[in-house]
Amino acid sequence: MSDVREVIIIGSGPAGLTAAIYTARAGLSPLVLEGEPSSTSDQPGGQLMLTTDVENFPGFPEGVMGPELMQNFRAQALRFGAEVQTVKASRVEFSSRPFGVWIGDPDTAEPTHRAETVIISTGAQSIMLGLDREAELIGHGLSTCATCDGFFFRDQEIAVVGGGDSALEEAQFLSRFAGKVTIVHRRDELRASKIMQDRGFANKKIEFRWNSIVKGYEGDPTISGLRLADTRTGEESVLAVTGVFLAIGHRPNTGLFKGQLALKDNGYLMTRPDSTRTDVDGVFACGDVQDDYFRQAITAAGSGCMAAIEAERWLEDNPGAIH
Ligand code: NAP
């Protein structure tokens, strides 16, 4: 039998690492399963690893790069004694205590780790359009991460798909490298916040292609164009671009918890009002995996702090729980 931990934290974005800082400082020796890189949109450190300038995280008046911010979170957690493993949980068992967490083969009888409390902070990830050849074109002109890939498109023409803050932010960043950036949006008005819209409209390198849906990718083995259809006329056209950045939203990483924890209709984890408690006593959820509304780094970090304090108090209230 594996030793029983007081706290296991699954996920290493702002929520998970804030929970790690707080539980480590509370002397709970948290184990953080930070994940492993498996695609450009799925990295330890979460979505900020795929972001450029973060201008709205308090404490950085000049802004900070997303990956640098996450390195700082991680270093702070390590400084207080959090143990961080670069692995993914493959299965969890929350039906009895201590809870079980598996790494690797999920069919082994014994869990890799057992814990009295689990804090879930597995975040969310980029949604793809679901068109043919998307998997093979990632890294060959198709990307979900301007920070990672923008550099490769110097002086080229690029499309960004989407009309939210992410699309505007990606386009703004890409305009530093690209010759021209076209934002392709399926409606005739943006979803993005006013300030981001204003910046987009003011940027001479950014153009907009309204009422357009993407039908497919041109070019083999790398992208040479985006096949578009006008939503009003059905007319098809090809936008000549060598890079396409998808920025059409995110999906919560909750697959591991189906059948174990209550989910909302949209797939996000259900937590009790004003709390990070899930429907299983001793299991807490924080950050984007349970937040379909705010979805900000600062709110994720705040809820990570809440989860840590709630886990700590739960352990105090259940002293018999530790074996
Ligand atoms: P979002 O706000 O959900 O916007 C997604 C965009 O993609 C929408 O414009 C949507 O079109 C479009 N879209 C969705 N599915 C599509 C499809 N299949 N085909 C074509 N277009 C599709 O997502 P987000 O931009 O990733 O932002 C998520 C949250 O993070 C938001 O709350 C946002 O404010 C926040 N955020 C903030 C910042 C910042 O403050 N700096 C930066 C990034 C994100 P419709 O408009 O027609 O639905």
Short mmCIF file of all heavy atoms in Angstrom, two decimals, residues 47 53 55-56 127-129 161-169 184-187 189-193 196 212-214 247-250 293-296, ligand 1:
data_model
loop_
_atom_site.label_atom_id
_atom_site.label_comp_id
_atom_site.label_asym_id
_atom_site.label_seq_id
_atom_site.Cartn_x
_atom_site.Cartn_y
_atom_site.Cartn_z
N GLN A 47 -2.92 27.16 -19.24
CA GLN A 47 -3.10 28.02 -20.42
C GLN A 47 -2.16 29.22 -20.46
O GLN A 47 -1.87 29.73 -21.54
CB GLN A 47 -4.54 28.53 -20.46
CG GLN A 47 -5.54 27.42 -20.70
CD GLN A 47 -6.95 27.91 -20.53
OE1 GLN A 47 -7.49 28.53 -21.43
NE2 GLN A 47 -7.54 27.67 -19.38
N ASP A 53 1.82 38.47 -23.25
CA ASP A 53 1.80 39.44 -22.15
C ASP A 53 0.55 39.28 -21.31
O ASP A 53 -0.55 39.25 -21.84
CB ASP A 53 1.77 40.86 -22.71
CG ASP A 53 2.96 41.14 -23.59
OD1 ASP A 53 4.07 41.15 -23.07
OD2 ASP A 53 2.75 41.33 -24.79
N GLU A 55 -1.35 41.41 -18.76
CA GLU A 55 -1.32 42.80 -18.27
C GLU A 55 -2.25 43.03 -17.09
O GLU A 55 -2.25 44.11 -16.51
CB GLU A 55 -1.75 43.75 -19.40
CG GLU A 55 -0.75 43.83 -20.53
CD GLU A 55 -1.20 44.80 -21.60
OE1 GLU A 55 -2.40 45.09 -21.71
OE2 GLU A 55 -0.32 45.26 -22.34
N ASN A 56 -3.05 41.99 -16.76
CA ASN A 56 -4.07 42.22 -15.75
C ASN A 56 -3.86 41.38 -14.50
O ASN A 56 -4.78 41.27 -13.68
CB ASN A 56 -5.47 42.00 -16.33
CG ASN A 56 -5.60 40.66 -17.03
OD1 ASN A 56 -4.71 39.83 -16.91
ND2 ASN A 56 -6.68 40.45 -17.76
N ILE A 127 -10.29 24.57 -27.89
CA ILE A 127 -11.19 23.81 -28.75
C ILE A 127 -10.69 23.94 -30.19
O ILE A 127 -10.27 25.01 -30.63
CB ILE A 127 -12.62 24.37 -28.64
CG1 ILE A 127 -13.14 24.18 -27.22
CG2 ILE A 127 -13.55 23.71 -29.65
CD1 ILE A 127 -14.51 24.79 -26.96
N MET A 128 -10.74 22.81 -30.91
CA MET A 128 -10.37 22.82 -32.34
C MET A 128 -11.66 22.94 -33.15
O MET A 128 -12.77 22.73 -32.63
CB MET A 128 -9.64 21.51 -32.68
CG MET A 128 -8.45 21.19 -31.78
SD MET A 128 -7.15 22.43 -31.83
CE MET A 128 -6.39 22.07 -33.42
N LEU A 129 -11.52 23.22 -34.44
CA LEU A 129 -12.73 23.36 -35.28
C LEU A 129 -13.34 22.01 -35.63
O LEU A 129 -14.50 21.93 -36.01
CB LEU A 129 -12.38 24.11 -36.57
CG LEU A 129 -12.22 25.62 -36.41
CD1 LEU A 129 -11.61 26.23 -37.68
CD2 LEU A 129 -13.56 26.29 -36.12
N VAL A 161 -8.82 32.62 -36.03
CA VAL A 161 -10.24 32.28 -36.08
C VAL A 161 -10.86 32.50 -34.70
O VAL A 161 -10.35 31.97 -33.70
CB VAL A 161 -10.43 30.81 -36.52
CG1 VAL A 161 -11.93 30.48 -36.62
CG2 VAL A 161 -9.75 30.56 -37.85
N GLY A 162 -11.96 33.27 -34.66
CA GLY A 162 -12.65 33.53 -33.39
C GLY A 162 -12.92 35.01 -33.24
O GLY A 162 -12.36 35.84 -33.98
N GLY A 163 -13.80 35.36 -32.30
CA GLY A 163 -14.15 36.76 -32.12
C GLY A 163 -14.15 37.19 -30.66
O GLY A 163 -14.67 38.24 -30.30
N GLY A 164 -13.53 36.36 -29.79
CA GLY A 164 -13.47 36.68 -28.36
C GLY A 164 -12.16 37.36 -27.98
O GLY A 164 -11.35 37.72 -28.84
N ASP A 165 -11.96 37.55 -26.68
CA ASP A 165 -10.74 38.19 -26.20
C ASP A 165 -9.49 37.43 -26.64
O ASP A 165 -8.47 38.03 -26.96
CB ASP A 165 -10.76 38.28 -24.67
CG ASP A 165 -11.60 39.45 -24.18
OD1 ASP A 165 -11.65 40.47 -24.87
OD2 ASP A 165 -12.21 39.32 -23.10
N SER A 166 -9.58 36.10 -26.64
CA SER A 166 -8.40 35.31 -27.04
C SER A 166 -8.02 35.63 -28.48
O SER A 166 -6.84 35.82 -28.79
CB SER A 166 -8.67 33.81 -26.93
OG SER A 166 -8.89 33.46 -25.61
N ALA A 167 -9.00 35.68 -29.37
CA ALA A 167 -8.71 35.94 -30.78
C ALA A 167 -8.07 37.32 -30.94
O ALA A 167 -7.08 37.47 -31.66
CB ALA A 167 -9.99 35.85 -31.60
N LEU A 168 -8.61 38.30 -30.24
CA LEU A 168 -8.06 39.67 -30.36
C LEU A 168 -6.65 39.74 -29.77
O LEU A 168 -5.76 40.40 -30.32
CB LEU A 168 -9.00 40.65 -29.64
CG LEU A 168 -10.14 41.25 -30.48
CD1 LEU A 168 -9.60 42.22 -31.53
CD2 LEU A 168 -10.98 40.20 -31.21
N GLU A 169 -6.46 39.04 -28.66
CA GLU A 169 -5.14 39.05 -28.01
C GLU A 169 -4.11 38.37 -28.90
O GLU A 169 -2.99 38.86 -29.09
CB GLU A 169 -5.26 38.33 -26.67
CG GLU A 169 -4.10 38.54 -25.75
CD GLU A 169 -4.38 37.91 -24.40
OE1 GLU A 169 -4.37 36.67 -24.29
OE2 GLU A 169 -4.62 38.66 -23.45
N VAL A 184 -10.88 36.00 -38.61
CA VAL A 184 -12.02 35.39 -39.29
C VAL A 184 -13.08 35.09 -38.24
O VAL A 184 -12.85 34.30 -37.32
CB VAL A 184 -11.59 34.07 -39.99
CG1 VAL A 184 -12.79 33.37 -40.60
CG2 VAL A 184 -10.53 34.36 -41.04
N HIS A 185 -14.24 35.75 -38.38
CA HIS A 185 -15.27 35.58 -37.36
C HIS A 185 -16.59 35.19 -38.01
O HIS A 185 -16.93 35.68 -39.09
CB HIS A 185 -15.42 36.89 -36.57
CG HIS A 185 -16.36 36.79 -35.42
ND1 HIS A 185 -16.47 35.65 -34.64
CD2 HIS A 185 -17.26 37.68 -34.91
CE1 HIS A 185 -17.38 35.86 -33.70
NE2 HIS A 185 -17.87 37.07 -33.84
N ARG A 186 -17.34 34.34 -37.33
CA ARG A 186 -18.56 33.80 -37.93
C ARG A 186 -19.75 34.75 -37.87
O ARG A 186 -20.78 34.49 -38.48
CB ARG A 186 -18.93 32.47 -37.28
CG ARG A 186 -19.24 32.56 -35.80
CD ARG A 186 -19.47 31.17 -35.23
NE ARG A 186 -19.71 31.21 -33.79
CZ ARG A 186 -19.89 30.13 -33.05
NH1 ARG A 186 -19.83 28.93 -33.60
NH2 ARG A 186 -20.11 30.24 -31.76
N ARG A 187 -19.62 35.84 -37.11
CA ARG A 187 -20.71 36.82 -37.05
C ARG A 187 -20.19 38.18 -37.51
O ARG A 187 -19.05 38.30 -37.93
CB ARG A 187 -21.21 36.95 -35.59
CG ARG A 187 -21.89 35.68 -35.11
CD ARG A 187 -22.52 35.88 -33.75
NE ARG A 187 -21.56 36.13 -32.71
CZ ARG A 187 -21.66 37.10 -31.79
NH1 ARG A 187 -22.66 37.95 -31.84
NH2 ARG A 187 -20.75 37.23 -30.84
N GLU A 189 -20.30 40.87 -35.42
CA GLU A 189 -19.82 41.66 -34.27
C GLU A 189 -19.00 40.75 -33.35
O GLU A 189 -19.23 39.54 -33.29
CB GLU A 189 -20.98 42.32 -33.50
CG GLU A 189 -21.92 41.37 -32.85
CD GLU A 189 -23.07 42.07 -32.12
OE1 GLU A 189 -22.95 43.28 -31.85
OE2 GLU A 189 -24.05 41.40 -31.84
N LEU A 190 -18.06 41.39 -32.66
CA LEU A 190 -17.13 40.63 -31.83
C LEU A 190 -17.72 40.34 -30.45
O LEU A 190 -18.55 41.11 -29.96
CB LEU A 190 -15.83 41.41 -31.67
CG LEU A 190 -15.05 41.64 -32.97
CD1 LEU A 190 -13.93 42.66 -32.73
CD2 LEU A 190 -14.46 40.33 -33.49
N ARG A 191 -17.25 39.26 -29.86
CA ARG A 191 -17.62 38.94 -28.48
C ARG A 191 -16.62 39.59 -27.50
O ARG A 191 -16.89 39.75 -26.33
CB ARG A 191 -17.58 37.41 -28.31
CG ARG A 191 -17.94 36.90 -26.94
CD ARG A 191 -17.93 35.38 -26.92
NE ARG A 191 -18.97 34.82 -27.78
CZ ARG A 191 -20.25 34.71 -27.42
NH1 ARG A 191 -20.64 35.10 -26.21
NH2 ARG A 191 -21.13 34.20 -28.23
N ALA A 192 -15.46 39.96 -28.01
CA ALA A 192 -14.36 40.45 -27.16
C ALA A 192 -14.74 41.73 -26.40
O ALA A 192 -15.65 42.46 -26.81
CB ALA A 192 -13.14 40.74 -28.04
N SER A 193 -14.03 42.00 -25.32
CA SER A 193 -14.28 43.20 -24.51
C SER A 193 -13.95 44.46 -25.33
O SER A 193 -13.16 44.41 -26.28
CB SER A 193 -13.42 43.17 -23.24
OG SER A 193 -12.07 43.01 -23.59
N MET A 196 -10.29 45.46 -25.97
CA MET A 196 -9.58 44.59 -26.92
C MET A 196 -10.05 44.87 -28.34
O MET A 196 -9.26 44.86 -29.29
CB MET A 196 -9.80 43.12 -26.56
CG MET A 196 -9.30 42.72 -25.18
SD MET A 196 -7.52 42.86 -25.02
CE MET A 196 -7.01 41.34 -25.80
N SER A 212 -17.98 34.73 -41.62
CA SER A 212 -17.25 33.71 -42.36
C SER A 212 -16.99 32.49 -41.49
O SER A 212 -16.46 32.62 -40.37
CB SER A 212 -15.90 34.26 -42.84
OG SER A 212 -16.12 35.32 -43.74
N ILE A 213 -17.34 31.32 -42.01
CA ILE A 213 -16.99 30.10 -41.30
C ILE A 213 -15.90 29.37 -42.08
O ILE A 213 -15.80 29.51 -43.30
CB ILE A 213 -18.20 29.17 -41.05
CG1 ILE A 213 -18.94 28.88 -42.36
CG2 ILE A 213 -19.13 29.74 -40.01
CD1 ILE A 213 -19.97 27.77 -42.21
N VAL A 214 -15.10 28.63 -41.34
CA VAL A 214 -13.99 27.91 -41.96
C VAL A 214 -14.49 26.56 -42.44
O VAL A 214 -15.07 25.79 -41.67
CB VAL A 214 -12.83 27.72 -40.95
CG1 VAL A 214 -11.66 27.02 -41.63
CG2 VAL A 214 -12.40 29.07 -40.38
N ALA A 247 -8.69 30.32 -32.04
CA ALA A 247 -8.94 30.95 -30.73
C ALA A 247 -10.45 30.98 -30.51
O ALA A 247 -11.07 32.02 -30.41
CB ALA A 247 -8.35 32.36 -30.71
N ILE A 248 -11.04 29.76 -30.46
CA ILE A 248 -12.51 29.68 -30.42
C ILE A 248 -13.03 29.13 -29.09
O ILE A 248 -14.18 28.71 -29.01
CB ILE A 248 -13.06 28.83 -31.59
CG1 ILE A 248 -12.50 27.41 -31.54
CG2 ILE A 248 -12.76 29.51 -32.92
CD1 ILE A 248 -13.21 26.46 -32.50
N GLY A 249 -12.20 29.21 -28.08
CA GLY A 249 -12.69 28.83 -26.76
C GLY A 249 -12.01 27.59 -26.20
O GLY A 249 -11.06 27.07 -26.79
N HIS A 250 -12.53 27.15 -25.09
CA HIS A 250 -11.86 26.10 -24.31
C HIS A 250 -12.83 25.08 -23.77
O HIS A 250 -14.02 25.36 -23.63
CB HIS A 250 -11.10 26.76 -23.15
CG HIS A 250 -10.09 27.73 -23.64
ND1 HIS A 250 -10.38 29.07 -23.83
CD2 HIS A 250 -8.82 27.55 -24.06
CE1 HIS A 250 -9.32 29.67 -24.33
NE2 HIS A 250 -8.36 28.78 -24.47
N TYR A 293 -17.28 31.03 -16.00
CA TYR A 293 -17.74 32.41 -16.05
C TYR A 293 -16.59 33.42 -16.05
O TYR A 293 -16.43 34.21 -16.97
CB TYR A 293 -18.70 32.68 -14.90
CG TYR A 293 -19.32 34.06 -14.95
CD1 TYR A 293 -20.27 34.38 -15.90
CD2 TYR A 293 -18.91 35.07 -14.07
CE1 TYR A 293 -20.82 35.65 -15.98
CE2 TYR A 293 -19.45 36.34 -14.13
CZ TYR A 293 -20.41 36.63 -15.08
OH TYR A 293 -20.93 37.89 -15.16
N PHE A 294 -15.77 33.39 -15.00
CA PHE A 294 -14.69 34.39 -14.90
C PHE A 294 -13.48 34.01 -15.74
O PHE A 294 -12.94 34.81 -16.48
CB PHE A 294 -14.27 34.59 -13.44
CG PHE A 294 -15.37 35.13 -12.57
CD1 PHE A 294 -16.00 34.34 -11.64
CD2 PHE A 294 -15.80 36.44 -12.72
CE1 PHE A 294 -17.02 34.85 -10.85
CE2 PHE A 294 -16.82 36.95 -11.94
CZ PHE A 294 -17.43 36.15 -11.00
N ARG A 295 -12.99 32.77 -15.55
CA ARG A 295 -11.90 32.20 -16.35
C ARG A 295 -10.68 33.11 -16.45
O ARG A 295 -10.11 33.31 -17.52
CB ARG A 295 -12.42 31.85 -17.74
CG ARG A 295 -13.44 30.73 -17.70
CD ARG A 295 -13.77 30.21 -19.06
NE ARG A 295 -14.58 31.12 -19.83
CZ ARG A 295 -15.30 30.76 -20.88
NH1 ARG A 295 -15.28 29.53 -21.30
NH2 ARG A 295 -16.03 31.63 -21.52
N GLN A 296 -10.29 33.71 -15.37
CA GLN A 296 -9.10 34.58 -15.35
C GLN A 296 -8.02 33.94 -14.47
O GLN A 296 -8.32 33.19 -13.55
CB GLN A 296 -9.46 35.95 -14.76
CG GLN A 296 -10.52 36.68 -15.55
CD GLN A 296 -10.09 36.97 -16.97
OE1 GLN A 296 -9.07 37.60 -17.19
NE2 GLN A 296 -10.85 36.48 -17.93
P1 NAP B 1 -14.89 32.99 -25.94
O1 NAP B 1 -15.07 34.30 -25.24
O2 NAP B 1 -15.82 31.87 -25.67
O3 NAP B 1 -14.93 33.33 -27.51
C1 NAP B 1 -14.88 32.28 -28.46
C2 NAP B 1 -15.03 32.89 -29.84
O4 NAP B 1 -14.89 31.86 -30.80
C3 NAP B 1 -16.40 33.54 -30.04
O5 NAP B 1 -16.28 34.73 -30.76
C4 NAP B 1 -17.15 32.46 -30.85
O6 NAP B 1 -18.07 33.01 -31.75
C5 NAP B 1 -16.05 31.81 -31.64
N1 NAP B 1 -16.34 30.40 -31.90
C6 NAP B 1 -16.68 29.43 -31.03
N2 NAP B 1 -16.84 28.25 -31.65
C7 NAP B 1 -16.60 28.49 -32.97
C8 NAP B 1 -16.60 27.67 -34.12
N3 NAP B 1 -16.87 26.36 -34.06
N4 NAP B 1 -16.32 28.24 -35.30
C9 NAP B 1 -16.02 29.56 -35.39
N5 NAP B 1 -15.98 30.38 -34.32
C10 NAP B 1 -16.28 29.84 -33.13
O7 NAP B 1 -13.44 32.38 -25.70
P2 NAP B 1 -12.04 33.12 -25.46
O8 NAP B 1 -11.85 34.23 -26.41
O9 NAP B 1 -11.07 32.01 -25.46
O10 NAP B 1 -12.15 33.73 -24.01
C11 NAP B 1 -12.50 32.90 -22.90
C12 NAP B 1 -12.59 33.75 -21.64
O11 NAP B 1 -11.29 34.21 -21.26
C13 NAP B 1 -13.46 34.97 -21.80
O12 NAP B 1 -14.15 35.20 -20.61
C14 NAP B 1 -12.47 36.07 -22.06
O13 NAP B 1 -12.94 37.35 -21.67
C15 NAP B 1 -11.28 35.63 -21.20
N6 NAP B 1 -10.02 36.14 -21.78
C16 NAP B 1 -9.56 37.36 -21.34
C17 NAP B 1 -8.39 37.89 -21.87
C18 NAP B 1 -7.88 39.22 -21.39
O14 NAP B 1 -8.59 39.87 -20.65
N7 NAP B 1 -6.71 39.64 -21.77
C19 NAP B 1 -7.69 37.19 -22.87
C20 NAP B 1 -8.19 35.96 -23.30
C21 NAP B 1 -9.36 35.46 -22.76
P3 NAP B 1 -19.42 33.74 -31.25
O15 NAP B 1 -18.99 35.08 -30.74
O16 NAP B 1 -20.25 33.80 -32.50
O17 NAP B 1 -20.00 32.84 -30.21
#
